[in-house]
Amino acid sequence: MNRLESETASVNGIRLHYLRAGTGPALFLLHGWPQTSFCWHEIIGELADTHTVIAPDLRGYGKSDKPRDGYDKRTMAADVAALATHLGFERVSVVGHDRGGRVAHRWALDRPDQVDRLAVLDIIPTRELWKRLDTEIGRAYWHWLFHLQPDLPELLAGRDIAAYLGYFFERWTHKRQGLSREAVDEYVRAFSAPGALRAGFDDYRASFPHDAEADDADFDAGRRLELPVLALWGASGLLGKLPTLEIWKDYANDVSGTAIEECGHFLAEERPQALLESLKPFLLS
């Protein structure tokens, strides 16, 4: 049984909290919104059998610092890149879910010498989502536009954090089965901390124009991911209705992937074993 340790490091001007387990090649797990590093609790132990697993709370999330700025994906990627260097890892594999997948995508683009393989869970590139925004995507991703607004999301969601987050934990799962009570309680506790709601919304606010400008510049310059990429998504969610794998092929030269059946957005918690069955061969290849 691999021991799970909780640690903190000062990197890139902030303190990042992270979980660590196992030995071997470095594997970074980057969570999404509205979650923390806790989201990997079902799979981190098995992944630690073959890797040194590092699961940080991203800037603004969980037990990490919540500064007033730096939520563009380039800065958030620099945070975890600095953490990898701080821990002595020259090369890392990265798995990113949701917002963490966007940080992971930027990390691999900006530091191809540091990231050797990338798995993205239940996302398409941010640039592609803006490009494809229509009625169906707008209905599914309405929260993006809401979270972009200054102050209002904090005002409204802050009145009942459990109800607001609970809406997503139910609606984004297969057949609205929801997440475990332990997980929901952990996330509600985390986002009830001072500054946590604001920081999570600032993550979204950085999507436009900061992240959009960087993504457009890379695409226009012909910059693509050269490393092996694995794209996985829940068949029951919106990405199950999009040509997700074909979309990623416009951004990466070596990409494979598949939908996970009977799964919504939260792959690591809804279908942990199915996720591991796809992740492990990719990480060990």
Side-chain angles (χ1 to χ4, degrees):
M1 185 72 177
N2 290 290
R3 180 180 176 184
L4 185 64
E5 298 178 345
S6 174
E7 302 180 4
T8 303
S10 294
V11 293
N12 205 30
I14 63 171
R15 290 173 301 168
L16 284 185
H17 168 259
Y18 63 96
L19 303 176
R20 177 172 183 158
T23 58
L27 170 61
F28 272 63
L29 307 179
L30 308 184
H31 66 84
W33 184 95
Q35 298 179 285
T36 68
S37 56
F38 181 82
C39 77
W40 307 109
H41 67 279
E42 293 281 2
I43 68 170
I44 194 169
E46 194 162 336
L47 292 174
D49 288 340
T50 55
H51 289 78
T52 300
V53 181
I54 307 295
D57 289 333
L58 297 172
R59 172 185 293 248
Y61 290 85
K63 296 178 182 177
S64 290
D65 280 352
K66 300 165 181 61
R68 297 296 312 203
D69 56 11
Y71 294 95
D72 61 283
K73 299 307 153 292
R74 177 156 281 151
T75 300
M76 293 179 77
D79 292 341
V80 287
L83 178 60
T85 300
H86 172 80
L87 295 175
F89 300 117
E90 294 184 2
R91 301 283 290 174
V92 302
S93 297
V94 184
V95 178
H97 174 245
D98 187 76
R99 307 302 298 176
R102 305 185 190 286
V103 174
H105 185 192
R106 173 50 56 191
W107 187 3
L109 275 173
D110 285 356
R111 292 173 170 81
D113 58 324
Q114 190 175 35
V115 180
D116 59 16
R117 59 188 55 238
L118 168 67
V120 286
L121 309 185
D122 212 63
I123 66 164
I124 57 174
T126 306
R127 178 181 180 276
E128 202 67 27
L129 190 142
W130 289 123
K131 208 175 100 174
R132 291 171 177 264
L133 191 59
D134 60 10
T135 302
E136 184 171 35
I137 291 179
R139 282 169 60 90
Y141 285 80
W142 63 269
H143 63 289
W144 275 51
L145 302 176
F146 177 53
H147 292 175
L148 283 175
Q149 307 310 310
D151 303 325
L152 185 62
E154 290 92 326
L155 175 66
L156 299 181
R159 293 176 180 174
D160 192 339
I161 294 171
Y164 188 67
L165 300 189
Y167 175 92
F168 299 100
F169 295 139
E170 176 192 342
R171 298 296 180 96
W172 287 356
T173 52
H174 175 66
K175 293 186 177 180
R176 298 176 70 164
Q177 293 172 347
L179 300 181
S180 71
R181 174 49 53 190
E182 179 188 18
V184 172
D185 287 349
E186 174 64 22
Y187 302 138
V188 171
R189 182 204 61 75
F191 282 89
S192 297
L197 269 183
R198 183 265 310 157
F201 296 141
D202 281 345
D203 182 356
Y204 281 90
R205 290 175 186 131
S207 301
F208 187 84
H210 303 295
D211 294 337
E213 290 174 349
D215 292 344
D216 284 344
D218 280 336
F219 191 85
D220 292 344
R223 294 186 64 204
R224 297 163 59 88
L225 295 171
E226 303 289 344
L227 75 170
V229 175
L230 176 68
L232 301 170
W233 62 94
S236 300
L238 175 65
L239 268 63
K241 302 175 184 177
L242 295 176
T244 299
L245 190 57
E246 296 306 312
I247 291 171
W248 274 106
K249 288 180 179 178
D250 287 338
Y251 293 81
N253 292 335
D254 180 7
V255 59
S256 59
T258 188
I260 293 182
E261 298 299 324
E262 298 184 351
C263 187
H265 179 60
F266 303 102
L267 280 64
E269 289 168 287
E270 293 184 69
R271 297 291 310 280
Q273 288 306 311
L275 175 59
L276 285 168
E277 287 172 9
S278 292
L279 269 183
K280 289 171 66 178
F282 173 74
L283 294 171
L284 294 172
S285 62

